[in-house]
Amino acid sequence: MKLFNTLTRQVDEFKPVKQGQVGIYSCGPTVYWNQHIGHMYAYVQWDTLVRVFKYMGNQVNWVMNVTDVGHMTSDEDTGDDKMEKGAAREGLSVWEIAEKYTKQFLESMDKLNIQRPDTLCRATEHIPEQIELISLIEKNGFSYKTKTGLVFDTSKFPRYADFAGLNLDEQAAGSRTEVDMDKKKPWDFLLWVTNQPEHIMKWDSPWGVGFPGWHIECTAMSVKYLGERFDIHTGGKEHKPVHHTNEIAQGYGAFRHQTANYWLHNDWLVFDGEKMSKSLGNNVLVTDLIEKGFNPLALRYLILTSHYRKGINFTWSSLAAAQTAWDKLNKFVVDVRSKTEDSRKQLSKEKEKKLEKFREEFLMAVNDDMAFPKAVATVWEMMASNIPDYDKMDQLLEWDQILGLRLGQETKEEVPGEVKELMAKREELRKEGKYVEADGMRMQIEKLGWKLEDSKMGVKVKKISALG
Ligand SMILES: [Zn+2]
């Protein structure tokens, strides 16, 4: 397996700490609001990574955190506490907010066929571990106290800026966030916060009553479940300059060495070219896809057609095309399975060779820094080949252990991809003010046996029943 390691800035051959075992830590959600499909992009990619390792015969231990305390609206220790903001917004307690959005996150994961991590660890359930780790960092001389709390002293870790290739002085000069004047350097960060007595979630500690900084939870929990040296740490590319840079510094402060050997970062799923966010109002949830008649696995398919380091531009038409592709693969499996006779024959030498070549190509792609666009192309080459249907189906289902598309579902009431593509086209035409052409799309959809209903909540599609 080859992986692009942010630490070395190159594609490295993966060498596990222990042969046959892989420990992976993924930065998980901050559960203060809904997780949208932009967030889910990362989790689909890392789930697929786990699947590749498992398929290759490794024992995988996948750990993911749930941030339910200490994450400020800015990644740099400033702004409001995200959890408290969520609680104020909805008139719920911080604990209820955490519960509500952890549930929403897990339900979205399930719908996208993302395996549950072996350990899903909540920050608030690991306060003693975080205190212990901070104590170690303090004992090693990597911290100092300010009015705000206990701060990590980055000057003690000379390679602080290396991981993300930061120009710290330039960054600090351009920063608009107010600087804690007690800090020796603007980029020194809080390990434990003590100056917010009104903070709802708080615990006793050697530095006073308070709560942990955001970054310490990931170091504390990754090391607890995977050891002081483990294989892979994943996150979004936005984690490089602050969160992961600080995690690496904390690891060095506590253990004097790197905790994870490979750091993997995904690029983003953007919506019509813009980052998905609540403030822009363009955040789409998995449940929104379902409401529009899509199978969430179409999104999984769409994500797999992108490389995790390139990201993807999500549009409704690209999702509709992905649904058509998924429908085709799914229907193929369903149809072959429903054949009454098993027409399986010994494959000819020529076809056997061809199938072997497809298998090799697929495995080579997924092991080459997860080149899934290539792997998906191989799937279609195999589908278009003269290999008999039964053998195609067997191969497809074997690959599906990695793809996770749950192929072979009976989906009688699903809206066909063709209808969804027409719907997406209609939507675009309407945006452009081309109402006559848009109405043409509606009539085409009706010919296919589906009826559109426009409502304030968007367009709904219903099957025209045989009788009426
Ligand atoms: Zn993290």
Side-chain angles (χ1 to χ4, degrees), residues 255-317:
F255 313 112
R256 307 298 172 98
H257 62 72
Q258 187 64 41
T259 53
N261 290 330
Y262 300 83
W263 291 75
L264 271 49
H265 292 98
N266 63 276
D267 206 317
W268 298 335
L269 176 151
V270 294
F271 183 66
D272 271 335
E274 278 185 283
K275 193 183 178 192
M276 221 171 243
S277 77
K278 276 148 220 118
S279 49
L280 288 172
N282 66 353
N283 55 322
V284 178
L285 312 183
V286 174
T287 45
D288 293 330
L289 308 183
I290 297 167
E291 245 164 62
K292 280 184 183 270
F294 288 99
N295 185 323
L297 295 168
L299 175 65
R300 185 171 178 114
Y301 176 92
L302 181 63
I303 290 172
L304 293 179
T305 63
S306 75
H307 191 270
Y308 76 96
R309 282 195 287 123
K310 296 240 162 66
I312 196 166
N313 185 29
F314 174 91
T315 63
W316 289 108
S317 354

Side-chain angles (χ1 to χ4, degrees), residues 27 218 243 247:
C27 283
C218 284
H243 184 50
E247 267 196 62

Side-chain angles (χ1 to χ4, degrees), residues 7 9 75-77 142 151-169 171-172 183 185-191 215 239-253 258:
L7 202 61
R9 291 186 183 77
D75 286 351
E76 295 155 28
D77 297 342
F142 282 81
V151 176
F152 189 96
D153 188 350
T154 58
S155 68
K156 296 279 165 65
F157 179 44
R159 285 176 284 122
Y160 178 74
D162 291 0
F163 177 68
L166 303 174
N167 185 332
L168 293 167
D169 290 313
Q171 190 178 302
K183 276 189 196 174
K185 292 284 182 195
W187 47 87
D188 285 355
F189 57 94
L190 280 159
L191 294 164
H215 317 294
H239 289 142
K240 286 188 223 172
V242 182
H243 184 50
H244 288 174
T245 287
N246 291 350
E247 267 196 62
I248 286 173
Q250 290 170 161
Y252 187 82
Q258 187 64 41

Side-chain angles (χ1 to χ4, degrees), residues 25-28 65 67 214-215 217-218 233-234 239 243-244 247:
Y25 183 88
S26 295
C27 283
N65 68 308
T67 300
W214 172 41
H215 317 294
E217 69 175 85
C218 284
H233 195 311
T234 77
H239 289 142
H243 184 50
H244 288 174
E247 267 196 62

